[in-house]
Amino acid sequence: MGIIFDKPLIGVVMCQNQLAGHAVQSVHNKYLDALFSAGGIPLALPHGLATTPELLEKSMTALSGILLTGSPSNIEPHHYGETSVEPDNDPGRDRLAFALVHSVIRRRMPLMAICRGLQELVVATGGTLHRALHLVDGLREHREDHALPLEQQYAPAHEVWVQPQGVLSELLPGCEKFWVNSLHAQGVRSLGAMARIEAHAADGLIEAISLNDHPFALALQWHPEWQSETSALSRPLFAGFIQASQRYQKEHRI
């Protein structure tokens, strides 16, 4: 029993979808496996937590970190000042993710965010998004080809350049650029004052950010959870997140 609770409990956001006609909330095993491999214990968080702030804050007291996962859905545009409709929406996830970000910032709790998770962190801290990167002059195609097998969809697609003296450069010392996969239609247009660029692609698109004056808040546009246990570039990212969560756990005696 003691060995289990020495490991940090990581809250993981889920996605709303349908299974055999039933409404379900789910999370891909690859995110859970990445946390387990790094030494964390994932705990899925239902969207209903966002409807009762007191319940959400009570739940946060048991956690030592938050993971915002990727998703087929997109953030509803009204959250960042646009009026058009988003057909691939998940409003319950929007509400929960934004509430988690605000709670993480108040508590100075470690946060890792991936793909949609990066976009959630951007919007929650005052930034905006491009809704269709392939229609923006000067930006490359960042979407995956759904006709290909998963191994090819998640294959390295382009390079990213790491900003010096940031969270990413500390986790990957001496690594100034590397190849990443690319499976997203939307991306960062602008950042709020709280956020810092951690990496960018050759076309200038922001590929990773962190939060200023926060112990550990790292968001990545690519998918490091894909086969993370065999990736020399992914393992240090999850290890850094779990180590920060362990420090938080000790400091707060969870």
Side-chain angles (χ1 to χ4, degrees), residues 15 19 34 93 115 148 174 182 191 208 212 224 234 252 254:
C15 298
L19 180 63
R93 169 156 176 167
C115 200
L148 297 175
S182 187
L191 295 180
N212 297 312
S234 294
H252 294 81
I254 296 174

Side-chain angles (χ1 to χ4, degrees), residues 121-128 188 190-196 209-212:
L121 183 60
V122 167
V123 173
T125 54
T128 62
V188 180
S190 66
L191 295 180
M194 296 182 67
R196 175 192 189 276
I209 68 168
S210 61
L211 294 184
N212 297 312

Side-chain angles (χ1 to χ4, degrees), residues 19-45:
L19 180 63
H22 293 273
V24 299
Q25 292 179 39
S26 61
V27 57
H28 287 184
N29 283 0
K30 58 185 177 175
Y31 297 105
L32 308 180
D33 292 342
L35 292 175
F36 276 127
S37 296
I41 302 176
L43 178 67
L45 303 176

Side-chain angles (χ1 to χ4, degrees), residues 104-178:
V104 158
I105 291 172
R106 289 196 305 272
R107 293 171 177 272
R108 297 178 62 76
M109 179 185 287
L111 169 74
M112 188 171 184
I114 294 170
C115 200
R116 189 199 211 267
L118 173 141
Q119 295 164 15
E120 289 164 343
L121 183 60
V122 167
V123 173
T125 54
T128 62
L129 303 177
H130 289 295
R131 296 197 60 207
L133 293 173
H134 63 285
L135 299 179
V136 179
D137 288 343
L139 295 184
R140 53 159 288 146
E141 175 63 82
H142 285 266
R143 295 173 296 180
E144 73 275 29
D145 184 348
H146 291 283
L148 297 175
L150 285 179
E151 292 284 348
Q152 294 181 42
Q153 291 184 41
Y154 282 87
H158 64 78
E159 285 184 296
V160 297
W161 278 257
V162 178
Q163 292 290 107
Q165 300 180 335
V167 177
L168 200 54
S169 65
E170 182 177 340
L171 295 174
L172 301 172
C175 190
E176 298 180 355
K177 64 178 181 176
F178 53 90

Side-chain angles (χ1 to χ4, degrees), residues 9 13 33-34 37 58 107 168 238 251:
L9 194 62
V13 73
D33 292 342
S37 296
K58 183 69 172 179
R107 293 171 177 272
L168 200 54
F238 283 99
E251 291 168 1

